[in-house]
Amino acid sequence: MINRRIFSSAAFSAVLPVSAQTVRPNGFPTRPIKLVVPFPAGGTTDALARIVATRLSERVGQPVIVENKAGAGGLIGNDFVAKSPPDGYTLLLAITSLIQAPALYPSLPYEVPQSFAAISQISAVSDFLVVGNRIKATSLGEYLKQVKEEPSKHNFGSYGNATSSHIHGEMLNQQAKTDLVHTPYKGAPALITDIIGGQIEGGFVDVASLLPYLRAGKVKVLAVTGAERVKQAPDVPTFTELGFKYFEPYGFFGVLAPARTSGALIEFLGNNLSQIVAQADVTAKLEGMGLKPVGSLPAAFESVIRTDLPVWSKVIKDARITVD
């Protein structure tokens, strides 16, 4: 089992010396900064990027422009940043798929993590295992018992093939020795709609997408991924508590730069991003979106990437998950 704590943004900011928060390497920045989002506008990643961009712009005195470079499951935007000049003016708001991709694709146009420099993990996110209210089970144990008693009659949906949602479902199948049939959706909203409507039994849905429906009581939540219970649903147990392995890694949203970006720039940006997440209103916004605020410094984010990458690689390969 992985034993890793995710520290609060306030804890990180509290240890920053004043000079580290304010020193500008060579007067950086002297022109606008580009924050690349490797997905279309309108989703959680895009919304988070715009919060970060606005606050970072206020702190550094230059525009921070969000640029959506969607395509190929995030590979196009990731590759664009990996091949950009390492001068601090082109940054990436990445998600967990960055470190899942090496196990899913036979080759990538960049190396992970070697092509990137970690700056700050902005937030973490967990996946809920949810079922519709028509399902009689009220706990994961009851549900798995029902699935085993009725072979080949149960299913689960994911918010996309080869996503964390799909991976978690196959991990559950392997460890619980069940035969839940996977149905991939094009995003969480369609999956949630079908769970509520009874077109599919249940699925793994990220907290950020499910939160409004959870508050309205439209679904049942049986368990949650991640190392700790989530603040928005404190009564829901983690898979680890229930005896399952490898469900500890969180999904992440984090800012990275191209490799070879100077340490001074990485430190300057990381300190500022940590301070941004520590702001009370930003913390509240992230929690309202179903996210766990982190605001880590560069070394801590680098550690998360290097720790979680082999875990995702193992579970993906064990479950024989591939990209269609």
Side-chain angles (χ1 to χ4, degrees), residues 1-4 96 99-100 103 167-168 171 175 245-250 303-319:
M1 186 194 317
I2 297 171
N3 183 13
R4 186 181 68 246
T96 328
I99 61 173
Q100 294 168 339
I167 295 166
H168 287 142
M171 288 167 61
Q175 295 186 40
K245 298 180 180 179
Y246 308 121
F247 283 87
E248 295 90 351
Y250 289 90
S303 177
V304 167
I305 290 171
R306 292 191 177 276
T307 299
D308 287 359
L309 192 154
V311 177
W312 286 116
S313 179
K314 172 180 170 49
V315 299
I316 289 167
K317 290 177 179 178
D318 287 351

Side-chain angles (χ1 to χ4, degrees), residues 14-43:
V15 300
L16 295 179
V18 173
S19 59
Q21 298 175 36
T22 57
V23 173
R24 294 171 177 266
N26 299 318
F28 176 89
T30 59
R31 55 187 171 86
I33 296 171
K34 184 183 298 181
L35 180 60
V36 174
V37 175
F39 302 101

Side-chain angles (χ1 to χ4, degrees), residues 56-99:
L56 184 59
S57 176
E58 292 170 356
R59 291 179 69 90
V60 303
Q62 288 287 343
V64 179
I65 302 166
V66 174
E67 184 169 321
N68 298 89
K69 286 189 175 292
L75 301 188
I76 290 175
N78 296 345
D79 187 47
F80 176 83
V81 175
K83 293 179 169 59
S84 293
D87 55 11
Y89 288 100
T90 304
L91 308 177
L92 174 69
L93 185 59
I95 67 170
T96 328
S97 61
L98 179 78
I99 61 173

Side-chain angles (χ1 to χ4, degrees), residues 239-256:
F239 280 93
T240 302
E241 289 178 65
L242 298 174
F244 294 89
K245 298 180 180 179
Y246 308 121
F247 283 87
E248 295 90 351
Y250 289 90
F252 69 70
F253 296 87
V255 178
L256 302 100

Side-chain angles (χ1 to χ4, degrees), residues 28 46 50 53 60 99 114-115 217 249 287 293 316:
F28 176 89
D46 181 69
R50 294 178 191 280
V60 303
I99 61 173
Q114 295 89 337
S115 296
E287 290 179 343
I316 289 167

